[in-house]
Amino acid sequence: MDSYLIQVNGRGDHAPMLDVHLKTNGNSISLGKVKARKPRWAVRASEMSKKTFNPVRAIVDSMKVEPNPKKAMISLSLGDPTVFGNLPTNDEVTLAVKEVLDSGRYNGYAPSVGYQSCREAVAAYYNCPEAPLTAQDVILTSGCSQAIELALAVLANPGQNILVPRPGFSLYKTLALSMGIEVKLYNLLPEKGWEIDLEHLESLVDEKTACLIVNNPSNPCGSVFSKSHLQKILAVASRQCVPILADEIYGDMVFADCKYEPIATLSTNVPILSCGGLAKRWLVPGWRMGWILIHDRRDIFGNESNADLCYAALSAIPGLQPVRPAGAMYLMVEIEMEHFPEFENDVEFTERLISEQSVFCLPATCFEYPNFFRVVITVPEEMILEACSRIQEFCEMHYQGAEGAQDLECDK
Ligand SMILES: *Cc1c(COP(=O)(O)O)cnc(C)c1O
């Protein structure tokens, strides 16, 4: 049996970098005889690293200007509210973290989605009747940057495109290009308080559009969208069936005469991943605390995995006994051969499944385990459902109940 371990690591402050390790220790994999080769160092930068580009660093690092020596330098460039020490975080925040450290109870590995109590706290803070949230809908991340990275990775495949504001925060493009995702820039209109040019936005949508990034309140614009503008953005997303990645790291940071509306509170049908964190609102960017809030009231992202769908569909078929999987990409199905007397073995069963239904599953004799076949579950959902219904038709056609099987016995 093969076992796979896939690890994805964000690396410290190089958020755009992704380490992907694939380890396999299956005994069915044999390397065979390899010709002796003289080892030679050939360590090259990966394709991904070559596609990773931070425009801010590229521009700023190449600026070779010396400030006027007669005047003290005033830097208005870094979006870090802690630099001058004039905006300390609240004592309660510091105290809460001190208590956690002193307790000694949180020095171990947390669950990969975050501690339950912490997810509950974030859910309780953002939960409201218009956009209900439970702990299940909260994924804790290493800063909002990792939240954006994960959200992009889950929404878009290489070759697809995403819609990104111009002017906009550079991380979106940096992450997307490193993942092989195309970026299409939609315009913001300065004369309209940096509202989105909705016509331009909608004109960019095509069949490869995986998501729309909405950053509100905005970096670098400092703008806050009105409720009616957000509704118009949602109308575009809804019409075009494009999910939204909302970067709401500056949520609640609005001036007194203005109101911030979380975009998820204004829609019941558009699926929205809202990314946020403690960095800006609580003035602690170095703590790297972020989250994704999953708003998907119509279950458009899907709450049933292919494994569950496939298992449920195959369980209902007479003569088959699927074994519920817990990982990897496969599901094994036992064929109750006594109910299929026409077929000699799993190889013949799967051959006929191809010739009659054009569904190809490997007979488990390939894995030294006869009378089973293996289903690969990583195909698109519609495809796995169609395959299951064809397997059902096939089994119903050839299934012999207890009596049938006995008749056959008697004939012998
Ligand atoms: C600062 C910022 C982030 C990143 O937040 P971290 O929690 O520090 O990773 C994301 N989006 C925007 C628009 C930002 O300005």
Side-chain angles (χ1 to χ4, degrees):
M1 223 175 280
D2 302 347
S3 86
Y4 295 93
L5 173 75
I6 299 176
Q7 223 179 302
V8 181
N9 296 328
R11 272 219 218 135
D13 47 6
H14 302 288
M17 300 252 216
L18 263 176
D19 276 353
V20 181
H21 306 278
L22 181 68
K23 223 160 83 180
T24 141
N25 58 0
N27 40 17
S28 63
I29 290 178
S30 115
L31 294 172
K33 286 219 169 81
V34 180
K35 266 195 190 162
R37 94 183 226 285
K38 185 160 163 24
R40 203 183 306 129
W41 288 108
V43 184
R44 296 204 184 82
S46 69
E47 292 308 310
M48 179 187 249
S49 71
K50 284 187 225 158
K51 284 187 287 188
T52 303
F53 178 79
N54 180 335
V56 178
R57 288 264 65 81
I59 294 165
V60 173
D61 292 350
S62 69
M63 286 167 66
K64 298 224 168 51
V65 227
E66 289 300 317
N68 182 342
K70 287 183 230 140
K71 299 191 177 190
M73 173 81 159
I74 300 174
S75 171
L76 304 178
S77 64
L78 197 60
D80 180 341
T82 70
V83 181
F84 298 101
N86 55 329
L87 294 171
T89 189
N90 192 297
D91 282 343
E92 280 176 27
V93 179
T94 315
L95 204 66
V97 172
K98 274 186 190 155
E99 274 169 18
V100 160
L101 287 178
D102 287 340
S103 79
R105 288 190 293 125
Y106 296 95
N107 296 333
Y109 291 114
S112 56
V113 288
Y115 285 112
Q116 182 66 12
S117 53
C118 194
R119 296 169 77 196
E120 276 164 14
V122 175
Y125 185 85
Y126 288 103
N127 178 51
C128 63
E130 303 79 31
L133 280 174
T134 70
Q136 295 290 90
D137 305 314
V138 178
I139 308 290
L140 296 178
T141 58
S142 174
C144 183
S145 303
Q146 197 201 12
I148 296 167
E149 180 178 338
L150 284 179
L152 273 180
V154 85
L155 290 174
N157 276 314
Q160 288 191 291
N161 65 64
I162 59 169
L163 309 180
V164 171
R166 168 176 54 201
F169 188 50
S170 62
L171 181 66
Y172 313 135
K173 187 170 171 182
T174 299
L175 289 174
L177 296 188
S178 81
M179 296 175 184
I181 300 163
E182 194 201 331
V183 168
K184 292 186 167 196
L185 300 169
Y186 64 80
N187 291 331
L188 303 180
L189 304 169
E191 67 278 13
K192 291 177 110 186
W194 299 105
E195 281 190 346
I196 296 177
D197 181 339
L198 294 162
E199 256 177 53
H200 183 230
L201 172 70
E202 194 155 9
S203 75
L204 296 175
V205 178
D206 63 22
E207 70 285 355
K208 288 190 177 167
T209 302
C211 82
L212 159 62
I213 296 189
V214 177
N215 175 212
N216 179 53
S218 158
N219 177 7
C221 303
S223 51
V224 182
F225 292 150
S226 68
K227 187 169 174 173
S228 75
H229 188 58
L230 286 167
Q231 281 164 335
K232 287 176 195 153
I233 299 167
L234 285 162
V236 173
S238 182
R239 216 169 20 244
Q240 300 292 343
C241 294
V242 175
I244 290 179
L245 191 170
D247 182 348
E248 300 185 317
I249 182 89
Y250 297 99
D252 287 329
M253 286 178 75
V254 297
F255 303 154
D257 52 350
C258 217
K259 186 163 185 281
Y260 159 70
E261 311 269 359
I263 193 167
T265 60
L266 304 175
S267 171
T268 55
N269 70 319
V270 176
I272 296 167
L273 295 181
S274 168
C275 299
L278 295 186
K280 311 292 168 45
R281 173 74 171 76
W282 297 98
L283 308 160
V284 287
W287 289 7
R288 312 308 304 135
M289 306 273 258
W291 50 74
I292 302 175
L293 311 178
I294 305 167
H295 296 277
D296 183 23
R297 266 153 280 154
R298 298 269 175 93
D299 277 334
I300 290 165
F301 288 136
N303 58 358
E304 264 206 274
S305 66
N306 273 10
D308 290 333
L309 287 173
C310 184
Y311 176 78
L314 295 174
S315 296
I317 301 177
L320 295 187
Q321 293 288 350
V323 182
R324 188 187 281 281
M329 319 185 300
Y330 317 103
L331 184 156
M332 286 277 267
V333 186
E334 184 179 2
I335 312 161
E336 295 172 340
M337 294 306 306
E338 70 274 21
H339 291 300
F340 299 99
E342 279 175 69
F343 307 127
E344 190 75 22
N345 51 34
D346 53 311
V347 178
E348 212 178 302
F349 182 97
T350 51
E351 274 171 1
R352 288 284 290 277
L353 187 55
I354 299 171
S355 64
E356 291 179 26
Q357 297 287 347
S358 304
V359 173
F360 181 20
C361 298
L362 276 187
T365 292
C366 298
F367 310 101
E368 312 216 29
Y369 211 73
N371 300 342
F372 278 69
F373 64 91
R374 187 190 74 169
V375 180
V376 173
I377 58 177
T378 45
V379 303
E381 184 183 307
E382 320 80 66
M383 209 181 275
I384 198 105
L385 290 176
E386 167 67 19
C388 288
S389 86
R390 292 195 210 168
I391 294 171
Q392 174 154 17
E393 188 180 320
F394 177 79
C395 288
E396 282 167 358
M397 181 92 86
H398 300 285
Y399 182 85
Q400 304 271 318
E403 290 150 43
Q406 259 159 25
D407 287 348
L408 225 99
E409 286 275 335
C410 297
D411 290 346
K412 274 183 191 164

